[in-house]
């Protein structure tokens, strides 16, 4: 019963490097989300997708890009890593925009 | 920008005690108020949720109280157990415009239940 799977679990990047955080779900959910979680700040929505080929910005999209070529996968791309992007990133999915969101276990990213 | 404010930031309770976490929101365009529980190294998981036409919802030891006029809602954990030690987030789901269907989260409360 995989649910939402995120890889990698941990990563350290140097300033200016790029990387892709992977997210896959096996529940056939049409909605997928990316959040970042910073201490004392709760979760902030970065990008979301309502289905394959459709993405839209959330509250804090700057410095990130996403794509949604399949229902299952929703990768998050950091092009030029900055220290401000040090955070824990969570991917979530839901069966419709008004259904409960199911979260992965996160990717802890440090940028030095 | 719609906001949800959560307090306290951290809470220590003895086993068997009552844990109370409070949230307040600043916009009426919300239609669903979930609480999420997060254990270290894991993602948030839906714990319990309430709609604004209901003043209270109870599931086992967990109860949400909702005060629509005050724009406040709270989570009560009765008979708190060490296994309840986790971070708790309240959230509110938007109903209109660009916020439709999106969750706005509170800042989180770290609950520690001592044996």
């Amino acid at each position: 019963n995989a649910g939402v799977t995120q890889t990698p679990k941990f990563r350290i990047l140097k300033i200016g490097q790029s990387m892709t955080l992977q997210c896959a779900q096996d529940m056939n959910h049409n909605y997928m989300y990316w959040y970042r979680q910073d201490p004392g700040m709760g979760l902030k929505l970065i990008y979301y997708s309502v289905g394959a080929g459709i993405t839209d910005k959330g509250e804090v999209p700057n410095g990130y890009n996403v794509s949604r070529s399949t229902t299952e996968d929703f990768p998050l791309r950091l092009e030029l890593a900055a220290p401000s992007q040090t955070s824990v990133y969570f991917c979530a999915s839901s069966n419709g925009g008004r259904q409960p969101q199911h979260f992965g276990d996160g990717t802890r990213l440090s940028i030095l | 920008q719609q906001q949800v404010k959560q307090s306290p930031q951290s809470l220590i309770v003895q086993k068997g005690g009552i844990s109370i976490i409070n949230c307040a929101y600043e916009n009426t365009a919300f239609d669903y108020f979930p609480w999420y529980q997060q254990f270290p190294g894991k993602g948030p998981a839906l714990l319990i949720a309430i709609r604004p036409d209901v003043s209270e919802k109870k599931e086992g030891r967990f109860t949400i109280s909702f005060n629509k006029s005050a724009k406040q809602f709270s989570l009560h954990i009765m008979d708190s157990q060490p296994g309840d030690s986790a971070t708790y987030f309240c959230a509110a789901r938007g109903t209109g415009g660009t916020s439709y269907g999106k969750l706005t989260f509170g800042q989180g409360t770290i609950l520690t239940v001592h044996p």
Side-chain angles (χ1 to χ4, degrees), chain B residues 15-26:
Chain B
K15 178 182 176 181
I18 303 174
S19 304
I20 302 174
I21 304 171
N22 300 299
C23 285
Y25 60 98
E26 300 181 345

Side-chain angles (χ1 to χ4, degrees), chain B residues 30-102:
Chain B
F30 294 126
D31 69 346
Y32 174 75
F33 299 86
W35 284 88
Y36 283 82
Q37 180 187 54
Q38 183 183 28
F39 292 107
K42 298 294 186 181
L46 179 64
L47 181 64
I48 186 173
I50 196 168
R51 299 189 186 279
D53 55 346
V54 176
S55 62
E56 185 175 284
K57 182 174 182 180
K58 183 176 181 179
E59 291 185 0
R61 296 184 294 108
F62 300 91
T63 300
I64 300 178
S65 297
F66 188 85
N67 186 328
K68 189 173 183 178
S69 61
K71 298 182 184 178
Q72 295 176 349
F73 57 110
S74 60
L75 175 69
H76 294 234
I77 305 174
M78 310 300 288
D79 187 27
S80 298
Q81 300 296 312
D84 297 331
S85 297
T87 300
Y88 293 81
F89 293 97
C90 63
R93 186 176 68 191
T95 62
T98 58
S99 297
Y100 181 81
K102 296 175 188 172

